[in-house]
Amino acid sequence: MKKLIISILAGVMGLCAMAQNVDRVGISDMTVEKTDNGLLIVSMQVAPSQTSVSYNRQLVLTPMVLSTDNSKYVELPSVTIAGKNAYYNTLRNDNLQGTTLLKGSQKGSYTYTQSIPFENWMTNSVLGVEVRGEGCCGNNVTDEVIPVADLNYAAPQFNPSFNYIEPRAVDSKLFNLTGKAYISFVVNKTVINPDYLNNKTELKKILDTIDAVKDNKDAKVRKIKLTGYASPEGPYANNVRLAEGRTEAVKEYVRQQSAFPESLFETSSVPEDWAGLKAAVQKSGLADAKEIVEFIDSDYPIEQRNDRLRALFPKTYPFLLENIYPGLRHTDYVITYEVRKYTDVNEIKQVFKTRPQNLSLNEFFLLSQTYRPGTPEFDEVFDVAVRMFPEDQVANINAASASISRGDLDSATKFLNRAGNSSEAEYVRGILDAKKGNYDSALSHFRKTKDPKAKDAIDQINRIQNYNGAVTYR
């Protein structure tokens, strides 16, 4: 029978014109309420005198809650309105169940109030009344379900308005390519030998980076900066000589191989790479790493620092000399190049496909405006822009907004960690927290921002937090 009930309800709900009013079966003032302690209370007035039940028949009225997909339902206790013959026949057989009302025995109405535990699936459901007509002795059964109300206890969704920030247009588009080359020299020498140890590969790193710019028809190298680092062992004055001389040797090699004028090069040197030593020790797992780092951070004179380090840590120093010091001898390089501006959006689209690293943030933004917000193409522009400018706050704010709009909250969190504390960043942090359901934190962010859309966001959250559900009676 229950399968029949559900199928009948599906048919009734599918054709709203067929929905019948419960007044004809003596029901009025039917209400439903969800309480704070997790109950669903159904109330109604039942007037036996207002039904058209004949002497030999009875109506069994059963309130019920059904899921919108008809897969689940819960019945509440029934009320039966019986004609005179049916009533006394049932009474003689001692078969009265629940509340049974004799038609015509009550001039007024019967107040019905029952409750059931609220279950999650009831968040979106339908309140209906099963009307079961029965003849004498249970013959001539008819059955139908009358939908009374649509229940919606799901809180409204937070739907923010996103702001995508237009980055400032720049007068010149300067970009940097960076790297490290570990070039080896004969002990105490500054003459470079390309064939010595792994030098050919390490020198090629620098030249390949330069060639990458050369192959870019829209780019021009503006500066090549080389910084040579030496390890701390040996006399400090000699390390100064080695760092300067070896950096100069690398410069001359690169200059000759690249055919760039000397005016394009800038060199500097660090005689002893104590910062690099500190970073390596911190990652080393050495038992006395903490003490070594504290010494490196001290103001001990740099000219005698290595000798003092060896004296303080005689057991660890050989390990440093063999395993860490070689990595402190390196040449850092920065290739600065300029790319021409693009003003035509169609050209920007082509560059985006082939060399996105040529675009400025402003050009990325111009491209984004050719797509509808929320589309994959629109989001991709900001995703690529933040890869090209990973530390730029505006790029991270825009990428965070695009990520939230497509439901990628983890990526948005990562981007906002690099977005700074501007008013624009606070607004997007508020959106992210609201999407996560952290409404108190979201309100805190929205109150910090000057964005005019924050007021609507705050109003939305207030409505969500104060929402008690909606019941639409049919």
Side-chain angles (χ1 to χ4, degrees):
M1 183 184 73
K2 298 310 175 189
K3 290 183 179 179
L4 175 63
I5 288 174
I6 294 176
S7 63
I8 291 173
L9 177 62
V12 173
M13 291 175 63
L15 296 172
C16 293
M18 294 178 62
Q20 303 176 56
N21 196 300
V22 288
D23 288 352
R24 69 179 178 83
V25 291
I27 294 176
S28 62
D29 299 329
M30 192 166 187
T31 62
V32 61
E33 177 188 2
K34 179 177 177 287
T35 67
D36 291 338
N37 60 344
L39 293 178
L40 199 68
I41 301 175
V42 175
S43 300
M44 60 183 178
Q45 296 295 317
V46 181
S49 61
Q50 293 182 15
T51 64
S52 57
V53 180
S54 65
Y55 277 61
N56 296 317
R57 296 186 65 81
Q58 63 184 19
L59 285 179
V60 182
L61 308 176
T62 308
M64 58 196 315
V65 181
L66 302 100
S67 62
T68 54
D69 63 359
N70 298 327
S71 64
K72 297 179 181 179
Y73 68 92
V74 173
E75 293 181 349
L76 284 83
S78 301
V79 175
T80 301
I81 302 174
K84 186 174 181 179
N85 289 352
Y87 180 84
Y88 287 110
N89 181 66
T90 304
L91 183 62
R92 282 195 299 269
N93 292 310
D94 196 24
N95 198 29
L96 291 179
Q97 296 180 359
T99 301
T100 301
L101 307 175
L102 174 61
K103 182 180 183 300
S105 64
Q106 291 177 257
K107 294 183 179 180
S109 62
Y110 168 76
T111 300
Y112 174 101
T113 300
Q114 295 288 343
S115 65
I116 55 174
F118 184 85
E119 299 181 43
N120 287 336
W121 62 265
M122 297 176 185
T123 298
N124 288 289
S125 56
V126 175
L127 173 66
V129 176
E130 178 192 12
V131 180
R132 181 178 175 83
E134 298 177 347
C136 182
C137 305
N139 298 324
N140 304 319
V141 175
T142 60
D143 208 349
E144 67 174 320
V145 175
I146 303 174
V148 177
D150 298 310
L151 313 184
N152 180 10
Y153 293 105
Q157 295 295 308
F158 179 75
N159 294 309
S161 295
F162 292 99
N163 291 331
Y164 291 91
I165 306 169
E166 181 173 2
R168 181 178 58 85
V170 292
D171 294 330
S172 59
K173 292 161 54 180
L174 293 176
F175 300 93
N176 292 323
L177 294 175
T178 64
K180 289 180 182 291
Y182 294 89
I183 301 165
S184 301
F185 289 83
V186 175
V187 175
N188 216 28
K189 301 294 183 181
T190 59
V191 177
I192 195 167
N193 180 356
D195 297 319
Y196 184 60
L197 297 178
N198 201 39
N199 281 354
K200 189 169 291 185
T201 298
E202 295 301 312
L203 288 166
K204 191 172 183 296
K205 287 182 183 178
I206 306 175
L207 297 175
D208 284 349
T209 305
I210 293 174
D211 288 342
V213 179
K214 281 184 174 181
D215 293 341
N216 187 342
K217 63 182 179 61
D218 294 335
K220 186 174 183 180
V221 175
R222 292 302 186 191
K223 184 170 67 174
I224 300 174
K225 182 178 180 180
L226 303 170
T227 304
Y229 292 80
S231 54
E233 81 275 20
Y236 181 79
N238 192 49
N239 288 336
V240 171
R241 178 185 69 84
L242 292 175
E244 291 176 349
R246 290 173 176 177
T247 305
E248 187 66 22
V250 174
K251 184 202 80 173
E252 283 303 309
Y253 178 86
V254 172
R255 186 181 68 80
Q256 292 174 14
Q257 296 296 315
S258 62
F260 282 132
E262 189 167 354
S263 59
L264 218 58
F265 289 82
E266 178 183 316
T267 61
S268 61
S269 60
V270 178
E272 296 181 354
D273 187 7
W274 288 98
L277 177 60
K278 174 183 174 180
V281 169
Q282 287 174 323
K283 297 177 182 178
S284 67
L286 291 168
D288 49 2
K290 180 180 178 181
E291 291 76 11
I292 295 174
V293 168
E294 288 175 351
F295 170 73
I296 293 173
D297 286 338
S298 70
D299 56 0
Y300 201 87
I302 193 169
E303 293 82 3
Q304 294 90 38
R305 190 177 295 177
N306 185 66
D307 291 339
R308 184 59 179 165
L309 176 67
R310 181 171 55 239
L312 288 173
F313 305 97
K315 293 182 179 179
T316 305
Y317 187 82
F319 176 87
L320 301 178
L321 195 64
E322 182 177 353
N323 297 282
I324 295 181
Y325 275 29
L328 304 180
R329 304 162 197 148
H330 55 93
T331 300
D332 291 0
Y333 56 91
V334 180
I335 314 300
T336 301
Y337 63 98
E338 184 175 12
V339 178
R340 71 175 180 87
K341 291 184 180 180
Y342 306 105
T343 56
D344 183 83
V345 168
N346 291 322
E347 185 178 24
I348 293 175
K349 285 185 176 181
Q350 290 303 313
V351 175
F352 179 78
K353 294 177 182 177
T354 56
R355 287 186 180 272
Q357 64 270 27
N358 277 10
L359 298 176
S360 68
L361 275 176
N362 183 262
E363 289 163 344
F364 276 111
F365 187 84
L366 293 176
L367 176 59
S368 74
Q369 300 308 290
T370 65
Y371 301 114
R372 185 168 56 85
T375 61
E377 295 82 5
F378 181 87
D379 290 349
E380 183 188 15
V381 173
F382 293 111
D383 289 343
V384 175
V386 80
R387 288 205 301 271
M388 297 298 105
F389 299 88
E391 302 304 322
D392 186 271
Q393 293 182 2
V394 170
N396 279 283
I397 291 172
N398 286 341
S401 293
S403 297
I404 297 171
S405 71
R406 63 174 180 267
D408 185 358
L409 304 188
D410 289 339
S411 292
T413 301
K414 178 185 69 175
F415 294 136
L416 287 173
N417 287 337
R418 300 195 298 260
N421 296 309
S422 65
S423 176
E424 294 85 354
E426 287 299 303
Y427 178 70
V428 182
R429 286 192 179 98
I431 293 176
L432 178 60
D433 274 336
K435 284 291 188 179
K436 290 180 176 180
N438 302 328
Y439 296 121
D440 289 342
S441 178
L443 289 172
S444 175
H445 288 301
F446 285 135
R447 287 169 182 145
K448 292 178 184 178
T449 182
K450 297 178 181 178
D451 195 303
K453 294 181 180 178
K455 182 182 184 303
D456 176 69
I458 292 172
D459 290 343
Q460 283 193 56
I461 291 176
N462 288 334
R463 286 194 296 270
I464 291 170
Q465 291 183 315
N466 295 320
Y467 185 76
N468 292 319
V471 178
T472 304
Y473 292 96
R474 300 192 180 199

